[in-house]
Amino acid sequence: MKKKAYISLVIFTLAFTLSMFSCTTTSNISSVKEKTAEPNQESSKNVHAIHNVLPDGDIELLDSFEEGNFWQAEGESYATDADLTEDWTSEGAVSGLWQFMSIPQEENAVFYCEGLIDTNWTGAKYFIFDVNNTLSKSITVQLAIEAGKTKETTYTEKVTLGSGLNTNVMFSLLNQTTDENGLQVPGITEADNIKKAMIVIYGKALSGELNIDNIRLIR
């Protein structure tokens, strides 16, 4: 009788141990599968095109590209050409066509203008333009401004453009602005003496082109 009880106890213990092992193993496999199936956040990132409502203020047209092309591709960057096109516009008959090669991570493509129609941006709150991103992926852009006799550079906050048409893309000229060292500054240094405006496209980005039009200031 004692022998049967002992055997029953052994069988029960063995069955219980196998059951616990089975549960633990199933749980681990499930966890691995979930982790493996989790999509890469960068590749699944879907940034929609920008369609901003214009803020309150007086609108000043800075460049419509109707009078010619005053923008250039910075040769030391990954920008390759700045020209005009009639293939796409947001207003008028022509727009800017900016082309760039594949931009590695931590690099950029710079397009600049030193012949601005208005070099006194005192009181300006926003720099705005329309852009057609012809790439199938989003890209990150930023406005940089050189001003004053010393040509100190002020940078706006970066903006991510979705694929396709982006309207009223806005860069604040008063908030979230930084200097060349990345330190916060209260707006553009010597805003009454703008020397150069630069639109910077950051990597990692494929080679392609942007159509840009209707560049404005909001005061």
Side-chain angles (χ1 to χ4, degrees), residues 4 31 41 50 60-61 69 72 101 125 135 217:
K4 288 183 178 180
S31 176
Q41 291 183 356
I50 293 171
E60 177 185 346
L61 182 62
N69 180 34
Q72 301 180 58
M101 65 183 80
K125 296 176 287 188
L135 300 180
L217 292 177

Side-chain angles (χ1 to χ4, degrees), residues 140-144 155-159 171 198-200 202:
T140 300
V141 297
Q142 184 181 39
L143 175 68
Y155 296 86
T156 67
E157 194 171 16
K158 293 178 181 177
V159 173
F171 300 87
M198 296 167 281
I199 295 176
V200 186
Y202 287 93

Side-chain angles (χ1 to χ4, degrees), residues 24-192:
T24 303
T25 305
T26 303
S27 176
N28 286 341
I29 291 173
S30 175
S31 176
V32 171
K33 284 185 178 178
E34 288 176 4
K35 189 173 182 179
T36 303
E38 184 179 344
N40 181 280
Q41 291 183 356
E42 186 66 27
S43 63
S44 65
K45 185 179 180 182
N46 183 22
V47 177
H48 296 289
I50 293 171
H51 300 289
N52 287 323
V53 176
L54 285 175
D56 293 334
D58 296 326
I59 302 174
E60 177 185 346
L61 182 62
L62 202 59
D63 197 345
S64 65
F65 297 91
E66 302 297 317
E67 304 299 324
N69 180 34
F70 300 97
W71 292 78
Q72 301 180 58
E74 175 56 67
E76 296 181 1
S77 72
Y78 283 78
T80 56
D81 193 31
D83 207 341
L84 299 175
T85 181
E86 297 179 357
D87 293 340
W88 176 92
T89 66
S90 63
E91 285 193 15
V94 296
S95 67
L97 175 64
W98 295 354
Q99 298 174 316
F100 49 91
M101 65 183 80
S102 181
I103 309 172
Q105 191 73 38
E106 307 301 330
E107 299 293 343
N108 56 53
V110 180
F111 298 90
Y112 68 93
C113 178
E114 295 177 308
L116 296 164
I117 192 171
D118 186 356
T119 58
N120 185 351
W121 292 12
T122 302
K125 296 176 287 188
Y126 296 98
F127 181 97
I128 299 180
F129 57 73
D130 300 327
V131 60
N132 179 34
N133 173 16
T134 65
L135 300 180
S136 61
K137 295 184 178 182
S138 60
I139 56 174
T140 300
V141 297
Q142 184 181 39
L143 175 68
I145 308 104
E146 283 186 5
K149 293 181 179 180
T150 59
K151 295 184 178 181
E152 290 188 46
T153 305
T154 305
Y155 296 86
T156 67
E157 194 171 16
K158 293 178 181 177
V159 173
T160 299
L161 307 176
S163 180
L165 174 62
N166 294 256
T167 55
N168 298 327
V169 177
M170 291 192 293
F171 300 87
S172 174
L173 303 177
L174 301 177
N175 300 308
Q176 303 300 316
T177 48
T178 57
D179 63 13
E180 293 179 347
N181 299 314
L183 301 175
Q184 291 275 337
V185 292
I188 302 171
T189 303
E190 297 189 56
D192 62 341

